[in-house]
Structure formats: C-alpha cells, structure tokens
C-alpha cells in the first residue's frame, strides 16, 4: 500500500469504473452507471489524488481509498481483486489516519457487511438526492 501518485489516475479511474458498475448494478439505473466511466472518475481524481491510498498487487494498483477530513469518500477494489484483503488493509490504514465516518447506499449489502465486519456501526439512515433521484443511505461511524 502507498499514497497515490498523479500517474496512478488512469489506473485508479479504470478500477473505479469497474468497481462502481459491479457494486451498483442492482442499485443504480443504467444511464447513471454509463455516466460513471473512467473519464468521469479521472476528472474527479485530478483534484483529489493527493488524498488517496492505493492497494497494490505485484506493484500494480488493485484498489484505492479516498478520504477527506476523516470521512471516507470512496473505497473501491477491482472486482477481480475483491475478497483478497486489499480493502481491509486500506480501511485499517484509513482508520490509523483518523477515518471516523463513511456513507454507503442502504442497498449495498456487500459493502455494509464488509464495514460492519470491521467494526463500523450505523450512525444514521437517511435519504438524499443522488444522480437525480432520492436515494436511501447509511452513515457509518467508527470510534
């Protein structure tokens, strides 16, 4: 694991696209998923890569975590690398760096099981607008 570098952006954007489409295929509409392609994520990461941690396998990125002021904004693993411990390493490092909260789609059951297995607890459930529709979310907290 290491901090992200600017040259990681294309690989991390590709991971984000694959992970996003895999994780949210049953949660978001196809037009929303289609709009979250690698170009979308690359543009977003241009201003935030300095706050990213990268999980590696054989020197290549397989996942990443983006954190802002103690809030985990994203934790994405390449679907081919999921379940092999990289996400847990990223989460532990974020916690060591002061992570205290994260938001998750209510219906993202795999992610919710993952966070709860690692000691995160539901702070509150709520609805808010996301991609043009009202969606149900869960805010997790860690002491």
């Amino acid at each position: 694991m290491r901090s992200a570098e600017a040259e990681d952006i294309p690989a991390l954007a590709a991971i984000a696209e694959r992970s996003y489409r895999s994780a949210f295929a049953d949660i978001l509409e196809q037009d929303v998923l289609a709009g979250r392609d690698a170009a979308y994520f690359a543009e977003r990461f241009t201003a935030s890569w300095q706050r990213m941690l990268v999980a590696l396998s054989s020197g290549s990125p397989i996942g990443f975590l983006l954190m802002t002021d103690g809030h985990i904004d994203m934790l994405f693993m390449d679907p081919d690398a999921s379940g092999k411990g990289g996400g847990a390493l990223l989460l532990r490092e974020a916690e060591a760096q002061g992570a205290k909260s994260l938001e998750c789609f209510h219906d993202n059951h795999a992610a919710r099981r993952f966070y709860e297995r690692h000691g995160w607890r539901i702070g509150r459930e709520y609805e808010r607008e996301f991609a043009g529709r009202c969606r149900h979310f869960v805010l997790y907290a860690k002491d």
Side-chain angles (χ1 to χ4, degrees):
M1 181 174 0
R2 64 170 167 75
S3 296
E5 300 170 356
E7 49 272 1
D8 292 327
I9 291 174
L12 300 179
I15 289 168
E17 177 182 14
R18 287 190 302 275
S19 180
Y20 199 90
R21 290 184 180 179
S22 175
F24 306 137
D26 294 331
I27 298 172
L28 298 173
E29 300 78 21
Q30 287 302 313
D31 63 316
V32 175
L33 294 172
R36 280 4 186 232
D37 61 7
Y40 168 86
F41 286 108
E43 182 178 326
R44 184 166 180 194
F45 296 162
T46 299
S48 59
W49 65 266
Q50 300 92 337
R51 299 188 320 269
M52 296 172 89
L53 298 173
V54 179
L56 303 167
S57 177
S58 301
S60 297
I62 58 167
F64 66 90
L65 182 143
L66 172 62
M67 186 168 70
T68 305
D69 299 326
H71 180 80
I72 296 173
D73 299 306
M74 295 181 189
L75 193 165
F76 287 138
M77 292 299 298
D78 190 301
D80 293 337
S82 184
K84 298 179 182 174
L89 288 172
L90 287 169
L91 191 58
R92 278 196 298 275
E93 182 59 27
E95 291 168 2
Q97 292 184 21
K100 298 288 183 203
S101 65
L102 63 89
E103 181 182 65
C104 184
F105 283 108
H106 181 272
D107 292 336
N108 189 349
H109 303 293
R112 293 186 61 187
R113 282 190 302 274
F114 171 77
Y115 294 127
E116 290 171 13
R117 244 188 348 262
H118 288 90
W120 289 75
R121 299 292 171 243
I122 297 172
R124 67 184 177 100
E125 296 186 30
Y126 53 95
E127 291 186 355
R128 71 169 178 85
E129 190 279 329
F130 181 89
R133 291 190 50 202
C134 189
R135 317 270 181 179
H136 194 181
F137 288 88
V138 178
L139 183 69
Y140 279 92
K142 181 85 180 224
D143 295 327

